[in-house]
Amino acid sequence: QVQLVESGGGLVQAGGSLRLTCAASGTISSIDTMGWYRQAPGNQREMVATVTSGGVPNYADCMKDRFTISRDNAKNTVYLQMNSLKPEDTAVYYCYLRSMFWGRNYWGQGTQVTASS
């Protein structure tokens, strides 16, 4: 099993910044891909960004200019730096891990991000 714990969400004024952190524990491969998804009320869950074990990022086109994903393999941790936040960024953000050992995907509990105008 794999456990993912997110932190760093909260309430911020539009134009501000937040940094999300996700710490993974359990049976984790050194080549596991990790990332972030988000889901707003009434919407489908959408990919925000992913990053390989080698640090190669992949972003949704609408987010790559403002968000930055990174990871620390020694700590089994992935980060999402969110700048110039907009009200439409308001959503629950979920940490994601693709486990090569277990052959399945894992999700965190989610952390709320709210950008107020």
Side-chain angles (χ1 to χ4, degrees):
Q1 290 292 317
V2 175
Q3 296 80 44
L4 304 173
V5 180
E6 304 105 329
S7 62
L11 176 64
V12 66
Q13 188 175 356
S17 299
L18 286 173
R19 190 191 193 202
L20 305 184
T21 299
C22 174
S25 61
T27 303
I28 302 169
S29 170
S30 62
I31 61 172
D32 287 346
T33 294
M34 299 182 69
W36 294 91
Y37 287 65
R38 72 183 186 185
Q39 187 169 18
N43 290 71
Q44 294 286 105
R45 187 173 298 184
E46 63 179 345
M47 192 270 286
V48 176
T50 61
V51 60
T52 69
S53 62
V56 179
N58 183 46
Y59 299 96
D61 287 342
C62 62
M63 304 168 191
K64 62 182 179 181
D65 292 333
R66 299 182 294 117
F67 295 179
T68 302
I69 191 170
S70 61
R71 67 188 294 165
D72 185 336
N73 289 337
K75 298 180 179 180
N76 296 320
T77 300
V78 64
Y79 308 91
L80 184 68
Q81 180 67 45
M82 309 166 64
N83 298 324
S84 301
L85 283 164
K86 305 174 181 179
E88 49 263 46
D89 294 319
T90 296
V92 177
Y93 285 69
Y94 296 91
C95 184
Y96 157 84
L97 182 147
R98 188 181 70 198
S99 173
M100 295 298 182
F101 180 83
W102 295 106
R104 57 158 290 181
N105 300 327
Y106 289 88
W107 299 94
Q109 192 69 30
T111 185
Q112 177 70 45
V113 171
T114 302
S116 61
S117 60

